[in-house]
Amino acid sequence: MKLYSIETGFFKLDGGAMFGIVPKSIWNKTNPADANNLINLAMRCLLIEDGDRLILIDTGIGNKQDAKFFSFYYLFGDATLDLSLAKHGFHRDDITDVFLTHLHFDHCGGAIQWNQNKEFLEPAFKNATFWSNDAHWDWAVHPNPREKASFLKENILPLKESGQLKMLSVPKEGEDRLIETPLGFEVLFVNGHTDKQMIPIIHYKGKKIVYIADLIPTIGNIPLIYVIGFDTRPLLTVEEKGKFLTEAVENEYLLFFEHDFEHEIATLKMTEKGVRLDQTYSLTEIFG
């Protein structure tokens, strides 16, 4: 097995929205805002090369939306999914599996593209199986008012229509939140940000790497109550995050960040104030 960090692009969001009730005077120290109160965020994916499988976790925002849509998110930088794949010697047609942590547009938008003549939408990875779960899929195709702007039908429905979509089983009430998947890694289900978000846990070279998605978007969101304002059930996020942070310290997890602009990976430590950031690394710094 080999892992690759895949940068798909960068965007900006309101800093206050990313930290909920936490004052700007605190979060601005780790996530500095510009004059418009916007902070820089990444859309970093993880590529897993495992035997004859090439698994991409999340896809970034894609490029099929119109200029008005993209103007809301201030995309910047030269990074793209295709350039990042090419840097490691791969093409999107090499991808065998696309695992979607959840179906918000900045996580799954790159899964669907216009065909060559812009006549219809199609999977952007023609040889891949796409992975979601039934509960989250139903949540996304029948969105609540709070998340309606994040679940875009053009990102979601073509996946089902393509015949390339498979669903993972969801743990029942009272069962372990962690399941094994056919993809060779475990998945932790969490429900505070959105229903049945899936957090991959990859066993790699004696370590556990957690693709933390929107449970902890940046290093600035590590403290327990630093919960993003987009979460549908913030108190549940606090509960889920508290359990995870304790497990992460005890098991020496490596957290792989999807949205942190500067940092790919972090370790955690227990302090008198609770779990806090320990060290940050790039994937290559740890594993070469």
Side-chain angles (χ1 to χ4, degrees):
M1 180 187 287
K2 192 167 182 179
L3 304 183
Y4 307 89
S5 179
I6 303 295
E7 296 286 3
T8 70
F10 306 98
F11 70 121
K12 294 175 180 283
L13 279 181
D14 183 85
M18 288 300 292
F19 290 93
I21 64 171
V22 179
K24 181 180 180 180
S25 58
I26 296 176
W27 60 253
N28 200 55
K29 296 174 183 177
T30 56
N31 298 74
D34 65 16
N36 295 314
N37 209 49
L38 302 174
I39 64 172
N40 294 335
L41 296 171
M43 291 177 283
R44 185 177 298 113
C45 303
L46 185 63
L47 185 66
I48 305 172
E49 185 181 17
D50 190 10
D52 59 357
R53 279 190 126 145
L54 198 61
I55 305 163
L56 182 66
I57 301 179
D58 281 354
T59 66
I61 201 168
N63 59 12
K64 67 182 174 299
Q65 309 299 141
D66 60 23
K68 181 179 179 181
F69 175 87
F70 286 125
S71 72
F72 298 137
Y73 301 103
Y74 308 92
L75 271 65
F76 66 97
D78 298 324
T80 69
L81 188 147
D82 288 316
L83 287 175
S84 194
L85 287 174
K87 176 183 174 183
H88 299 296
F90 300 113
H91 185 273
R92 63 175 60 220
D93 292 350
D94 300 325
I95 304 298
T96 62
D97 299 89
V98 176
F99 181 90
L100 301 170
T101 60
H102 59 297
L103 297 170
H104 288 168
F105 63 82
D106 54 318
H107 295 256
C108 75
I112 297 297
Q113 65 184 6
W114 286 105
N115 76 317
Q116 189 172 6
N117 297 321
K118 290 197 171 183
E119 298 166 323
F120 56 86
L121 294 168
E122 63 183 5
F125 304 89
K126 66 180 184 180
N127 298 316
T129 298
F130 295 84
W131 297 87
S132 184
N133 67 77
D134 283 319
H136 182 67
W137 183 268
D138 186 65
W139 186 268
V141 298
H142 303 99
N144 60 74
R146 187 178 174 89
E147 287 183 277
K148 190 173 183 180
S150 294
F151 291 128
L152 307 181
K153 63 181 183 301
E154 60 266 33
N155 287 336
I156 299 171
L157 299 183
L159 289 174
K160 194 71 171 285
E161 294 163 359
S162 73
Q164 294 173 232
L165 180 67
K166 287 189 177 181
M167 300 295 189
L168 293 176
S169 299
V170 178
K172 296 179 181 178
E173 190 75 28
E175 292 183 347
D176 195 336
R177 300 174 299 149
L178 199 65
I179 68 164
E180 296 283 348
T181 73
L183 299 170
F185 54 77
E186 298 170 302
V187 163
L188 174 69
F189 285 85
V190 290
N191 301 292
H193 177 62
T194 187
D195 199 56
K196 302 301 183 292
Q197 179 183 196
M198 299 188 290
I199 306 295
I201 302 176
I202 301 109
H203 296 249
Y204 184 59
K205 295 187 177 181
K207 301 287 187 180
K208 287 187 177 181
I209 299 179
V210 183
Y211 187 88
I212 201 63
D214 279 347
L215 180 60
I216 307 175
T218 76
I219 63 166
N221 296 96
I222 290 171
L224 184 60
I225 65 166
Y226 290 39
V227 171
I228 57 179
F230 300 107
D231 285 8
T232 59
R233 307 170 180 128
L235 287 177
L236 181 55
T237 296
V238 171
E239 179 184 337
E240 293 172 334
K241 187 176 167 184
K243 292 179 181 177
F244 173 79
L245 289 172
T246 300
E247 293 170 5
V249 172
E250 291 176 350
N251 295 288
E252 299 182 343
Y253 290 166
L254 299 175
L255 274 58
F256 186 95
F257 292 98
E258 186 162 10
H259 287 313
D260 195 292
F261 179 63
E262 295 185 8
H263 307 290
E264 287 184 4
I265 289 179
T267 54
L268 304 176
K269 62 182 178 182
M270 185 64 73
T271 74
E272 61 182 16
K273 293 183 178 180
V275 177
R276 292 293 186 269
L277 174 70
D278 185 15
Q279 299 288 329
T280 60
Y281 309 89
S282 69
L283 196 60
T284 54
E285 282 176 328
I286 300 179
F287 300 109

